[in-house]
Amino acid sequence: MNPELKTYRHFVKGLVEQMRPKNVLEIGLGSDASTAELILQALPDDGHYTTIDISPNEKALKILNTFDEIYWTVIKGNSKDAKHYEHLPQCEIICIDGHHGAIECYM
């Protein structure tokens, strides 16, 4: 695994552990949901993870399914489409990796 990506994923997990957010949004689930898995491990009991992905793959969905569905939501669609954001709750952490030009995390 790319060392920068591994560092990023563990940074995000640490951020979730420190902030204890109610809602985390990730743009782009990825092929192995490794960031999602770390976020879900670190979420507080009242936390929720949402991802928007144009084409979530089977492997990533299997990983999400190892967690209770009350803790996560997958929105299938293009993250550039504003309609996907209209009914989302306020998110304390937003991770953006949808266009693969950069990986970013916002609070």
Side-chain angles (χ1 to χ4, degrees):
M1 176 185 296
N2 176 332
E4 288 180 12
L5 188 55
K6 184 176 181 180
T7 299
Y8 166 78
R9 289 174 175 158
H10 287 282
F11 166 77
V12 172
K13 182 181 181 190
L15 192 62
V16 173
E17 290 171 342
Q18 291 277 325
M19 291 183 62
R20 309 209 33 87
K22 287 200 179 258
N23 295 291
V24 176
L25 172 64
E26 183 176 29
I27 308 299
L29 180 58
S31 59
D32 62 0
S34 57
T35 304
E37 184 175 27
L38 292 174
I39 290 169
L40 285 161
Q41 289 171 356
L43 271 179
D45 289 340
D46 63 345
H48 192 84
Y49 166 85
T50 301
T51 185
I52 301 173
D53 195 288
I54 198 161
S55 183
N57 77 35
E58 293 284 326
K59 182 180 177 186
L61 293 173
K62 282 182 184 179
I63 291 168
L64 289 182
N65 277 309
T66 65
F67 297 89
D68 192 319
E69 288 185 29
I70 65 168
Y71 296 110
W72 58 270
T73 301
V74 174
I75 299 171
K76 186 177 179 181
N78 190 325
S79 61
K80 293 180 182 179
D81 190 340
K83 73 179 180 184
H84 299 306
Y85 303 93
E86 291 174 356
H87 302 289
L88 287 179
Q90 179 177 342
C91 296
E92 292 84 3
I93 298 174
I94 301 172
C95 302
I96 302 173
D97 185 25
H99 59 81
H100 299 277
I103 298 174
E104 302 170 26
C105 187
Y106 297 93
M107 297 177 283

